[in-house]
């Protein structure tokens, strides 16, 4: 950035260029979904300000990156004479401030409001320019090293004060800050189950088998072979792939978690589960919403613990799925399933899991927040983002064998019960059980990683 500013070649100094050349992103880098440049430039601005507010307050050169730009500016600072003279013989500073930014031809003149304000004067000396570049290189070196450490999974200082441990008294923020660590751009992946759409806009569930992009015609043989109801599909005529639907509970869950992250200054990338990439898993913490029946990433990535999702009949789901408990303790059941009113059949209770497991690289985690029903997912998210829920969970973790070393995230599964009204309103979410997840950090790629593919 400094080189381009000095050379005057600013046309190519764009977010994409910085992402590829400075941060090593691939040629398909998309700044809209990967915010590393904006996040780290914001961090660099903060560090520069902290430096000049403290030990750099008397430096002869001021380096700044104006908001809304990536081009650094360099300014010579004429330190007031009073700052260097004994207090017994103070002199009134009457210097006029003149600021000339590199690559800008308009100077701004103003009188200092107090004798302690730092007056500035224009500069064009090449020697001073080299000093300014050297200063920026020092900042840039630490900036680059920190970013490299982030990409390799090494703990670094968070660019966000809310993410830094101990900066917030909010138990929910502390809980998630412990988990996120230095990741200011976690990935949230929601279920985008594939359906087959007919000419009347009716949907047929397509549970497995190769699928194509949304709107593409479905091969009739594949439709009959892999659809949940082959007999109906055979009479439906031409069908097309449709994956543009997700549950209302997942939408509510995304809203709750992204709102929390926004308060913490964390900007999550939200994407369909089928677009999750190996790079997402290697560079970020990943939060997966939904059950393995709806979210392909959950089906491929969730670790096997005491609690597992189970569907006895994959062709007849309709609230028949259950969460099995392999090692039920006192007051625990071996299985939990969606409960309905015996008369009206309206859904009354659903169950879901919070599962925290190691990611594919050290320092990264995979979090599953999934219910048997879409409203079970909403209830789990409600619990995991509420003070009451997190305090209750944290107390159990601290008092049990699940507790982790200071600064580390415990690995566990938590069973949550959601109370429903009218079948879709989540009134309350209760913690039913917490079991330790005996999982080891994956080696290498860490098992199956969903590849970005057509739908």
């Amino acid at each position: 950035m400094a080189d381009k500013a000095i050379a005057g070649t600013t046309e190519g100094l764009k977010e994409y260029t910085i992402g590829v050349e400075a941060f090593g992103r691939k040629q398909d880098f998309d700044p809209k979904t990967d915010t590393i440049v904006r996040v780290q430039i914001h961090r660099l601005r903060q560090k520069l300000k902290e430096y000049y507010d403290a030990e750099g307050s008397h430096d002869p050169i001021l380096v700044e990156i104006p908001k809304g730009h990536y081009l650094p500016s360099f300014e010579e600072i004429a330190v007031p004479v009073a700052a260097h003279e004994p207090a017994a013989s103070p002199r009134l500073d009457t210097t006029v401030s003149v600021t000339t930014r590199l690559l800008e031809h308009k100077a701004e003149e103003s009188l200092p409001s107090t004798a302690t304000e730092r007056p500035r004067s224009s500069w064009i000396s090449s020697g001073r320019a080299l000093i300014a570049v050297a200063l920026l290189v020092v900042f840039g070196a630490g900036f680059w090293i920190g970013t490299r450490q982030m990409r390799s999974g090494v703990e670094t200082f968070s660019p966000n004060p809310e993410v830094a441990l101990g900066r917030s008294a909010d138990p929910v923020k502390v809980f998630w800050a412990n988990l996120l660590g230095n990741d200011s751009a976690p990935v949230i992946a929601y279920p985008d189950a594939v359906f087959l759409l007919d000419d009347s806009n009716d949907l047929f569930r397509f549970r497995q088998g190769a699928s194509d992009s949304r709107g593409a015609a479905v091969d009739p043989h594949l439709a009959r072979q892999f659809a949940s109801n082959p007999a109906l599909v055979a009479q439906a005529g031409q069908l097309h792939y449709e994956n543009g639907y997700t549950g209302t509970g997942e939408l509510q869950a995304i809203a709750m978690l992204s709102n929390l992250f926004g308060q913490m200054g964390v900007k999550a990338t939200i994407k369909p589960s089928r677009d999750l990439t190996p790079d997402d898993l290697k560079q970020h913490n990943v939060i997966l919403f939904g059950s393995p029946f709806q979210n392909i990433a959950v089906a491929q990535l969730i670790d096997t613990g005491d609690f597992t999702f189970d569907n006895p009949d994959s062709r007849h789901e309709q609230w028949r799925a259950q969460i099995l408990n392999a090692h039920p303790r006192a007051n625990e059941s071996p299985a939990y399933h969606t409960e309905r009113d015996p008369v009206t059949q309206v859904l009354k209770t659903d169950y879901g899991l919070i599962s925290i497991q190691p990611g594919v690289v050290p320092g990264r985690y995979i979090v599953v927040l999934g219910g048997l029903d879409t409203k079970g997912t909403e209830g789990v998210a409600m619990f995991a983002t509420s003070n009451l829920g997190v305090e209750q969970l944290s107390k159990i973790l601290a008092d049990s064998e699940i507790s982790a070393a200071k600064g580390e995230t415990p690995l566990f599964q938590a069973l949550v019960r959601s109370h429903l009204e009218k079948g879709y309103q989540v009134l309350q979410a209760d913690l039913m059980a917490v079991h330790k997840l005996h999982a080891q950090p994956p080696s290498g790629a860490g098992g199956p990683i969903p590849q970005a593919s057509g739908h």
Side-chain angles (χ1 to χ4, degrees):
M1 290 163 54
D3 288 344
K4 289 185 179 294
I6 297 298
T9 56
T10 62
E11 293 80 5
L13 195 60
K14 300 182 183 299
E15 187 174 356
Y16 174 83
T17 306
I18 297 173
V20 173
E21 296 184 5
F23 296 106
R25 291 297 196 256
K26 297 180 180 180
Q27 294 299 316
D28 60 355
F29 168 61
D30 184 0
K32 293 181 180 179
T33 57
D34 188 341
T35 62
I36 185 171
V37 176
R38 278 166 280 167
V39 169
Q40 297 301 334
I41 290 294
H42 174 71
R43 178 190 178 198
L44 183 55
R45 287 195 189 101
Q46 288 181 321
K47 293 299 180 183
L48 284 168
K49 184 179 185 302
E50 291 173 6
Y51 173 76
Y52 284 113
D53 285 345
E55 62 265 30
S57 59
H58 296 296
D59 281 9
I61 303 297
L62 176 67
V63 182
E64 291 181 315
I65 303 176
K67 290 185 178 180
H69 302 275
Y70 299 120
L71 183 67
S73 67
F74 311 95
E75 301 170 11
E76 181 187 23
I77 301 172
V79 180
V81 177
H84 299 287
E85 293 192 0
S89 57
R91 294 177 57 184
L92 183 62
D93 180 6
T94 58
T95 307
V96 175
S97 170
V98 181
T99 302
T100 303
R101 295 183 182 274
L102 187 66
L103 301 179
E104 293 182 2
H105 303 290
K106 181 179 179 180
E108 299 176 355
E109 298 188 10
S110 63
L111 287 173
S113 58
T114 67
T116 59
E117 182 175 348
R118 297 180 300 184
R120 303 167 182 172
S121 60
S122 61
W123 65 280
I124 49 178
S125 165
S126 60
R128 289 172 176 170
L130 290 176
I131 294 174
V133 172
L135 282 171
L136 194 62
V137 167
V138 171
F139 283 113
F143 179 51
W144 178 81
I145 290 171
T147 303
R148 292 287 293 179
Q149 289 177 330
M150 180 187 299
R151 296 202 330 243
S152 61
V154 179
E155 184 78 11
T156 64
F157 290 108
S158 168
N160 184 327
E162 284 287 4
V163 177
L165 297 179
R167 301 286 185 89
S168 174
D170 188 326
V172 179
K173 293 178 181 177
V174 171
F175 174 84
W176 283 97
N178 267 306
L179 191 149
L180 295 178
N182 63 4
D183 186 7
S184 59
V187 176
I188 296 176
Y190 60 87
D192 57 338
V194 178
F195 294 88
L196 306 181
L197 182 69
D198 70 6
D199 192 50
S200 300
N201 232 30
D202 289 330
L203 295 172
F204 301 90
R205 189 73 166 88
F206 189 72
R207 297 208 162 276
Q208 57 182 337
S211 60
D212 206 336
S213 298
R214 185 179 183 220
V218 183
D219 179 89
H221 174 72
L222 286 177
R224 291 191 297 271
Q225 183 177 1
F226 295 114
S228 295
N229 195 325
L232 281 178
V233 165
Q235 305 173 32
Q238 181 61 62
L239 298 171
H240 301 269
Y241 291 109
E242 170 61 273
N243 71 320
Y245 293 90
T246 194
T248 57
E250 280 74 24
L251 291 178
Q252 294 280 9
I254 291 171
M256 285 185 273
L257 193 60
S258 58
N259 179 60
L260 171 65
F261 285 173
Q263 295 175 20
M264 296 169 62
V266 174
K267 186 173 182 180
T269 298
I270 302 173
K271 59 171 57 179
S273 62
R274 292 173 186 274
D275 288 344
L276 195 65
T277 68
D279 283 344
D280 290 332
L281 293 162
K282 292 175 182 177
Q283 297 173 10
H284 300 286
N285 297 293
V286 176
I287 298 99
L288 306 174
F289 282 124
S291 72
F293 315 128
Q294 308 293 335
N295 191 323
I296 188 174
V298 174
Q300 294 180 346
L301 294 171
I302 191 171
D303 271 350
T304 301
D306 286 352
F307 294 106
T308 55
F309 287 95
D310 175 71
N311 187 6
D313 188 346
S314 62
R315 291 186 181 272
H316 299 89
E317 183 176 331
Q318 196 190 46
W319 303 299
R320 292 182 175 91
Q322 55 189 346
I323 295 176
L324 300 180
N325 185 356
H327 299 97
R329 301 169 184 169
N331 300 319
E332 293 182 3
S333 299
Y336 298 86
H337 57 85
T338 304
E339 299 169 10
R340 307 168 76 172
D341 184 284
V343 178
T344 65
Q345 294 295 292
V346 172
L347 304 185
K348 302 296 293 183
T349 305
D350 197 58
Y351 294 88
L353 289 180
I354 301 172
S355 179
I356 297 183
Q357 62 189 64
V360 300
V361 297
R364 293 290 180 255
Y365 296 92
I366 296 173
V367 181
V368 176
L369 303 176
L372 290 171
D373 176 68
T374 182
K375 291 301 169 178
T377 299
E378 181 180 340
V380 167
M382 177 187 295
F383 181 88
T385 56
S386 69
N387 284 343
L388 183 62
V390 170
E391 286 176 345
Q392 184 182 5
L393 178 60
S394 298
K395 185 178 185 304
I396 292 177
L397 292 175
D399 295 342
S400 70
E401 61 173 3
I402 307 174
S403 60
K406 185 177 181 181
E408 295 183 1
T409 298
L411 308 178
F412 66 90
Q413 290 180 309
L415 179 71
V416 176
R417 177 177 61 188
S418 299
H419 300 271
L420 309 179
E421 179 71 24
K422 298 181 180 179
Y424 68 91
Q425 295 176 353
V426 181
L427 301 180
Q428 182 180 339
D430 302 325
L431 183 62
M432 301 295 293
V434 181
H435 287 200
K436 185 174 183 178
L437 185 61
H438 299 278
Q440 298 296 325
S443 59
I449 301 176
Q451 304 288 333
S453 61
H455 304 303

